[in-house]
């Protein structure tokens, strides 16, 4: 038996005894005080259970909020990586396109480069000496 059921049984037993007794006697007062004490204990137990339920609910809501924040952070990281990859690829494509545009081709296939074109290619390809 748990504490609550024992307490409920005791409250019922004392209440039944008080109904049989005559008010105003010393024994009646003792049992009445004991009954009030048990009722206060039952109220404290109910309050403790209510507080525990409230804490569990708040903890669950907090966990859901943290999970939602983690999911949003994950989506942000994925978006940033995707933008970085797309930016890197498009940056490379733009660099190659700009390098080709910087060169001037003649009909024989010889490259007549401007100084801008040479400098740009040198910045793309790091030559070692």
């Amino acid at each position: 038996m748990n504490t609550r059921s024992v307490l409920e049984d005791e409250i019922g037993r004392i209440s039944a005894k008080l109904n049989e007794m005559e008010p105003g006697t010393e024994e009646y007062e003792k049992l009445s005080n004991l009954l009030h004490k048990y009722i206060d204990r039952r109220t404290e137990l109910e309050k403790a259970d209510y507080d525990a339920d409230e804490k569990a609910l708040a903890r669950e809501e907090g966990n859901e909020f943290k999970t939602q924040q983690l999911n949003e952070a994950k989506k942000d990281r994925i978006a940033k990586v995707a933008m970085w990859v797309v930016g890197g690829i498009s940056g490379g494509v733009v660099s190659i396109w700009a390098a080709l545009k910087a060169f001037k081709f003649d009909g024989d296939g010889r490259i007549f480069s401007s100084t801008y074109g040479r400098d740009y290619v040198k910045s793309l390809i790091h030559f070692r000496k």
Side-chain angles (χ1 to χ4, degrees):
M1 292 182 104
N2 64 13
T3 307
R4 178 165 294 187
S5 63
V6 170
L7 193 58
E8 290 293 330
D9 291 343
E10 199 61 26
I11 288 173
R13 188 182 63 77
I14 292 173
S15 180
K17 241 185 197 182
L18 283 175
N19 286 336
E20 296 171 359
M21 297 178 79
E22 201 170 307
T25 63
E26 187 177 319
E27 190 177 340
Y28 183 87
E29 292 299 322
K30 284 169 73 175
L31 281 178
S32 176
N33 288 337
L34 187 61
L35 178 66
H36 289 296
K37 183 178 173 183
Y38 285 162
I39 289 173
D40 288 342
R41 293 269 170 100
R42 180 180 63 184
T43 304
E44 289 173 10
L45 283 174
E46 288 173 356
K47 184 180 179 214
D49 288 344
Y50 178 77
D51 289 343
D53 290 342
E54 286 295 314
K55 285 181 183 178
L57 182 63
R59 190 176 324 116
E60 185 177 316
E61 288 174 355
N63 288 342
E64 288 175 7
F65 181 70
K66 287 178 184 177
T67 303
Q68 182 182 8
Q69 282 181 329
L70 289 174
N71 288 339
E72 288 175 6
K74 183 178 178 181
K75 288 177 185 177
D76 287 345
R77 283 194 309 270
I78 290 172
K80 286 178 184 177
V81 167
M83 287 190 307
W84 178 76
V85 168
V86 169
I89 291 172
S90 65
V93 170
V94 168
S95 297
I96 293 170
W97 177 78
L100 291 176
K101 283 296 186 179
F103 288 116
K104 297 179 185 169
F105 295 95
D106 70 352
D108 297 337
R110 291 179 293 161
I111 300 174
F112 296 98
S113 176
S114 65
T115 57
Y116 171 75
R118 265 189 246 132
D119 292 340
Y120 190 75
V121 171
K122 284 180 184 178
S123 72
L124 287 176
I125 303 171
H126 301 287
F127 293 104
R128 294 186 182 172
K129 291 185 179 185

